[in-house]
Amino acid sequence: MSKQKIYWYCQLFGWSLLMTVEYTAYLLQDGFDPDALYLAIANIFLGITLTHLYRLMIRHWNWVRLPFFQLAPRVLLSVFVLALIMTMVNLPMDRLIVPQHLVDEPWLVIGYIMTWGKTMLTWVLTYTAFHYVEQNRNDEIEKLLLKTSVRETEAKVLRSQLNPHFVFNALNSIRALVFENPTKAQQGITQLSNLLRNSLLADRRKTVELREEIKTVEDYLSLEKVRYEDRLTSYIELDNRTLFWQVPPMMLQTLVENAIKHGVSKAVGGGFIDIRSGLESDKLHITIRNTGILGDKEASGGFGLANTAQRLDLLYGPEAKFKIYQENDTRGDGPIVCAEITIPAQSEGMFRREKQSLGARS
């Protein structure tokens, strides 16, 4: 049932019940009088008409958006006007129908206004409070939808930034092989096509499985190893419990790309990339360690570091963490930069669906 129908049912039922109670009291005291019955019926329609006009008025001028100190006097004035109109209609009629009840009544007009004022105040406060709460709720929903739309737009923009940045560096890797080793160049093109396919899919998806993201990273590392040969060593060790966790697409690839560009490539003897995942306190923890000196984060990390932090915040909220720091060289392995990603727990239903889909594919 629509809210419009509920409103009219409540109007008819409420005013009919009120007039029925008052007419029944009169009937028990003075007996049946058709004029009193007609007046009770007229009051039903008059009460509905006046309160409906009040409803149209507050909706037209949008009173519910006013602050309380501005809304309260308007409501009280409306109650007084409604009560005064009901008094102006009922008092002359009562003088004709039941004059015996109005003899020697002090402050007769004020008494009528107070009586009808209580009725109107009950209706006005009930409707205004309901409409006020409903309007605030709708405003909150609109704000939430707007915020969600803005965050989705921001996430799409961040994802779209990845493609040109990644393609430029991948093409540079292949270009160096075209004349030196055409066979490896062909392999590189094949790997690049796989990466571009994943990159295009990344624009359509908010998250991907960790195992998919690692496959992209492996393709990228294979492509970079063609360029750096023995100067680049990689290690990947994943906890099987983390394979189906959802992560932002191309996020790890971007961090690995930054690690090679600003770390391994600048080391005289080359370096390594070490990627590990695990679960701690129902949260996914991913670490990426690489040879290099961190220096200034803004200068060394490009847009990748800020991009990673923003995407994690948009997708997972404040519980998601990203930090990057210089490790202390306690084992004599040279300078090492470590990036840590923390992603909060995700629904069990998601893992169940992913495992079922994996079983179906196998």
Side-chain angles (χ1 to χ4, degrees), residues 175-196:
R175 184 182 61 182
L177 296 173
V178 170
F179 294 106
E180 296 179 5
N181 194 328
T183 301
K184 287 187 177 181
Q186 291 176 358
Q187 295 175 352
I189 292 174
T190 301
Q191 292 165 344
L192 178 58
S193 67
N194 293 334
L195 289 167
L196 288 176

Side-chain angles (χ1 to χ4, degrees), residues 45-58:
F45 290 100
L46 181 60
I48 292 175
T49 301
L50 291 177
T51 52
H52 184 64
L53 289 175
Y54 169 81
R55 173 178 180 263
L56 294 177
M57 181 177 64
I58 68 171

Side-chain angles (χ1 to χ4, degrees), residues 138-155 206 313-315 317-318:
N138 290 339
D139 289 344
E140 290 298 322
I141 292 175
E142 289 179 2
K143 290 179 182 179
L144 181 61
L145 291 176
L146 178 61
K147 184 177 180 180
T148 302
S149 177
V150 171
R151 292 170 71 90
E152 176 63 21
T153 301
E154 291 177 354
K206 295 180 182 178
D313 181 67
L314 286 171
L315 287 172

Side-chain angles (χ1 to χ4, degrees), residues 75-95:
V75 169
L76 294 177
L77 179 61
S78 299
V79 169
F80 175 76
V81 172
L82 294 174
L84 182 62
I85 295 174
M86 294 296 290
T87 298
M88 293 172 62
V89 173
N90 281 271
L91 183 55
M93 298 299 298
D94 286 347
R95 288 185 187 277

Side-chain angles (χ1 to χ4, degrees), residues 114-131:
M114 293 291 292
T115 300
W116 283 110
K118 289 185 290 185
T119 301
M120 291 299 179
L121 182 63
T122 301
W123 191 98
V124 167
L125 286 182
T126 300
Y127 180 79
T128 305
F130 172 81
H131 198 54

Side-chain angles (χ1 to χ4, degrees), residues 220-230 232-234:
Y220 180 78
L221 286 173
S222 296
L223 188 60
E224 289 295 80
K225 284 179 182 178
V226 172
R227 176 184 176 188
Y228 288 98
E229 297 181 338
D230 295 337
L232 174 61
T233 306
S234 63

Side-chain angles (χ1 to χ4, degrees), residues 159-174:
R159 291 199 299 269
S160 68
Q161 290 176 346
L162 297 175
N163 297 339
H165 187 260
F166 156 70
V167 172
F168 176 77
N169 288 280
L171 286 175
N172 278 341
S173 298
I174 296 176

